[in-house]
Amino acid sequence: MKKSLFLLLIAAVSALGGLLFGYDTGVINGAQFYLTEYFQLSDALKGWVVGSALLGCFVGAIIAGPLSVKIGRKKSLIISAVFFTLSAYGSGLPELFPQTVSMLVVFRIIGGLGIGVASMNAPMYIAEIAPSNIRGRMVTYYQLAIVIGFFVVFLATYFIGSDLSVAENIEFGWRRMFWSELIPSILFLVLLFIVPKSPRWLALKGRDKDALEVLQKINGDALASKEMANIKASLNEANDGVEVSYFSKAILGIIAIGTVLSVLQQFTGINAVLYYGADIFEKALGFGKEDVLLQQILLAFVNLVFTFVAMFTVDKFGRKPLLYIGSVGMIIGFLLLGITLQQQNVGMLSLIGVLVFIASFALSMGPVVWVLLSEMFPNKIRSVAMSVAVGAQWAANYVVSQSFPIVMGSETNNSAPWHGSLPYYIFIAFILIIVFITYKFLPETKGKSLEEIEKFWKA
């Protein structure tokens, strides 16, 4: 198989894994209005149905580390594809299952498990298999696909729902919205059987010959031999007879930096804007309920376009410059929104602020965090460290998604001097912390092999 075709297969796997991440997270937004009516859900139950998947995401990310060490990145992704498929089919509650909220929640949690396992293993798999000169772009495909997944699911739920009456959507339209995920989930499952295992994982398991064969398909014979020698040197150094202590100062420090970065991705407020975009447009910007879909598509479109920008600049400009540029843009965006809210002069400038924030996140913290997490940890601890960092990210996602509406509805936020702007100033404070962490603790990893990056932490 030619190198270009081989890398295309890897890109396809990363794309579908990420697309399912975005699709499964977003499908509930399109279906929730109708299933709320079908089950006559209270606000508390509605919150549980919508948020239950996050519980699965957290658990999935935590178990993904040990799972990827034991059975490998590829087989872990196969398990996630099975979870996605089961969730897509079961969430639509076909007749053979009890028509209950509890059963729906079970399948939403299963979908969350799939997201959790994939969100840790997919970017790590790509980073371990991609050539160093295009690794950033390859991992960015994953974030791009997440964004495409959000965009596609908004369109899919719209086209499914628009052909049916409200009564038909309440009766069975929401089921079709969940079942539409079966197409990408089954395709993901099939494609995973024809891509190779991670060469780093193969070497970790002592399967040097198999690892070298994979590297030769990617890099050619000469470069593959050099890459293999670096991998072996790294592993031999790690296997010097001393058991890895995750609570040692050095290892704990590396994991802490990655985990803080991962958590800060959520504390920018991105998912508050994406999950509650309709509420922001309606309450803060005065848009009507009839424009909800168009608003969501607009946010998803801007997110998509600027993720492309990141994809083509992350290996050219580097990781740290994009984080600096994006942080400045996110602060400007939220300042525009916050100041117009405080002045009670909400309008086009407020909308521009939201879109500037989305664009800035999409070219920085969105894709770059996944790139850095997938490449910053040493070979020996990568699986466990990624598992901790991604698990913490899902916990942070839950904290933001639960606390944002509470802060938004608080008396403090809705009275002078804030007038609805308080959450955005809180997010600005966290974005400033990102700038500090980037300057003080993060190495520039552009163009470096995973083994060269590992040496940075020992310097």
Side-chain angles (χ1 to χ4, degrees), residues 49-76:
V49 170
V50 173
S52 58
L54 290 175
L55 176 62
C57 292
F58 175 74
V59 174
I62 294 300
I63 66 171
L67 195 67
S68 69
V69 171
K70 187 171 181 63
I71 67 173
R73 293 41 161 157
K74 175 178 171 175
K75 288 182 179 178
S76 296

Side-chain angles (χ1 to χ4, degrees), residues 123-124 127 132 135-136 139 315 319 368-378 382 386 443-451 453-454 457:
M124 182 169 65
S132 59
R135 186 177 60 245
V139 177
D315 284 318
R319 286 53 160 159
V368 175
V369 166
W370 289 114
V371 173
L372 286 168
L373 289 180
S374 68
E375 64 188 8
M376 68 182 288
F377 299 119
R382 185 171 296 122
M386 276 281 287
E444 178 53 67
T445 56
K446 179 186 74 171
K448 293 181 172 62
S449 71
L450 297 181
E451 288 66 41
I453 296 169
E454 185 172 336
W457 302 110

